[in-house]
Amino acid sequence: MRIVTQDSGMLRLLELARQVAPTDCNVLIVGESGTGKELFARYLHQQSGRHDGPYMAVNCGAFSKDLLANELFGHEKDAFTGAHTQKKGLIESASGGTLFLDEVTEMSPEMQVKLLRVIQEKEVLRLGATRPVKVDIRVIAATNRDLAEAVRSGKLRQDLYFRLNVVTLAIPPLSQRRGDIPLLAQYFLQKFAVQMKKTLNAISPAVMEVLQTYDYPGNVRELENIIARGCAVSSGDRIESAHLSENLRQQSGVTLPGKGEKIPTLEEQEKAYIHWVLSELDGNQTAAATALGINRSSLWRKLKTYQDEE
């Protein structure tokens, strides 16, 4: 998955990532869950001189202390009961490439000390081993916590924080870059239409209005799930309000037309939606055409038709 954006702040962030990627310095990525922290980590890896090397990722909050130690450092044969063979850890396996540590503040203090030594000494000691193994890794870490509070409360060691925080990339929540919502929605629509082998090619104006006003506590990941659900339950060529979850419709105040109520035509909905997109993008027809998933000449023809009808 690529980073899809037309937001000026996100584009500046991408440019900073592009600049620091070849430097091999450690990077700390901060942002709410679902904003795309691992996408930026992969982008840094792909743009670096290590792009042909391994990329290893681990969520530090998904393992107990002992399991995480085994995942990261590996073990020697007979290091503990059940260790019948030698196992390389992710740190050693990432040598020559990039190690991505997601939710690094969930790592225990003891593990943070061991990680600090790996970063400082460029070597790793497997569980049960007596001799360390040299490693060549770039570390990218991420967290959804407030870093100052994490250091103050002891969740993150200050010395480790300084080692990781050579460059910080702070990804804004989706609610702060609403101009990306139509672009992302269309991207996910095309993605899931292909995956599900459906002929879906549009999102109704009513649905797009819901998407534009929703708060997205789950950020981009939640938008992706909304579009995936819409694609899954739609039997036509576009996602309608009826294809949204009941919870989302209730939160957004969306009601479907009842019997006797006028149902807007497809042309009326399209016209209203196009004018709304243009107003959101300050009349920029090139940006609007991109958000709508059509070329600029097609948008111009539609606008000319609307003008002739008035």
Side-chain angles (χ1 to χ4, degrees):
M1 179 179 173
R2 61 191 180 90
I3 299 174
V4 178
T5 185
Q6 60 186 8
D7 179 76
S8 58
M10 283 288 285
L11 291 173
R12 287 194 297 271
L13 203 61
L14 267 175
E15 176 59 19
L16 176 59
R18 188 191 64 78
Q19 290 174 347
V20 303
T23 66
D24 224 25
C25 63
N26 296 331
V27 178
L28 190 56
I29 306 174
V30 297
E32 295 178 6
S33 294
T35 49
K37 296 188 289 294
E38 184 165 2
L39 280 180
F40 269 85
R42 288 185 178 275
Y43 179 82
L44 286 164
H45 175 71
Q46 291 165 359
Q47 297 297 314
S48 74
R50 297 173 175 269
H51 62 273
D52 289 331
Y55 172 89
M56 298 291 173
V58 60
N59 187 320
C60 300
F63 298 91
S64 67
K65 181 176 69 174
D66 291 339
L67 284 176
L68 182 59
N70 193 29
E71 283 295 308
L72 288 176
F73 295 91
H75 60 255
E76 295 290 346
K77 182 181 178 181
D78 299 326
F80 52 84
T81 304
H84 301 302
T85 59
Q86 182 193 79
K87 175 191 172 183
K88 284 185 178 181
L90 292 178
I91 295 173
E92 192 175 347
S93 298
S95 191
T98 302
L99 176 68
F100 175 55
L101 300 172
D102 198 7
E103 305 307 342
V104 68
T105 52
E106 306 309 305
M107 188 180 286
S108 69
E110 296 87 350
M111 286 295 296
Q112 291 186 32
V113 171
K114 292 181 178 180
L115 176 62
L116 184 63
R117 178 174 176 78
V118 170
I119 296 173
Q120 290 174 336
E121 305 299 329
K122 300 293 185 183
E123 61 183 29
V124 62
L125 187 67
R126 297 186 196 125
L127 299 178
T130 56
R131 292 183 180 179
V133 177
K134 285 291 182 181
V135 291
D136 171 27
I137 59 170
R138 188 218 198 134
V139 177
I140 300 174
T143 181
N144 59 10
R145 289 183 177 270
D146 180 289
L147 284 172
E149 176 57 30
V151 172
R152 188 164 49 248
S153 65
K155 289 289 292 183
L156 181 65
R157 289 178 58 96
Q158 189 176 54
D159 48 5
L160 178 59
Y161 167 70
F162 287 132
R163 281 288 183 177
L164 295 174
N165 190 32
V166 179
V167 175
T168 298
L169 300 178
I171 307 177
L174 185 56
S175 60
Q176 292 181 13
R177 46 186 177 105
R178 291 191 177 275
D180 277 347
I181 292 172
L183 197 65
L184 285 163
Q186 290 292 337
Y187 172 78
F188 292 136
L189 177 71
Q190 293 170 14
K191 170 186 171 182
F192 290 117
V194 171
Q195 286 185 5
M196 299 178 188
K197 298 179 180 177
K198 293 197 171 186
T199 57
L200 286 156
N201 54 34
I203 297 171
S204 77
V207 170
M208 192 59 75
E209 184 177 355
V210 171
L211 298 180
Q212 281 288 130
T213 56
Y214 184 56
D215 285 337
Y216 296 101
N219 290 290
V220 179
R221 186 182 298 127
E222 185 174 12
L223 174 59
E224 182 178 14
N225 290 340
I226 290 170
I227 300 300
R229 182 192 191 279
C231 288
V233 300
S234 174
S235 57
D237 61 358
R238 70 177 189 168
I239 297 177
E240 306 279 3
S241 297
H243 304 139
L244 300 177
S245 68
E246 182 66 27
N247 182 56
L248 182 59
R249 291 205 302 270
Q250 288 177 353
Q251 288 188 53
S252 305
V254 174
T255 56
L256 301 179
K259 286 186 176 181
E261 296 182 31
K262 182 181 182 298
I263 299 175
T265 66
L266 178 59
E267 184 179 356
E268 289 171 338
Q269 293 185 59
E270 181 185 70
K271 178 180 177 181
Y273 175 50
I274 287 176
H275 282 307
W276 174 80
V277 170
L278 279 166
S279 68
E280 287 291 307
L281 297 173
D282 300 320
N284 187 322
Q285 292 189 16
T286 301
T290 300
L292 291 163
I294 59 178
N295 58 50
R296 197 176 184 282
S297 60
S298 295
L299 176 60
W300 182 86
R301 285 193 296 271
K302 288 179 182 293
L303 292 173
K304 182 70 167 58
T305 301
Y306 301 152
Q307 188 176 30
D308 292 342
E309 291 173 349
E310 292 174 351

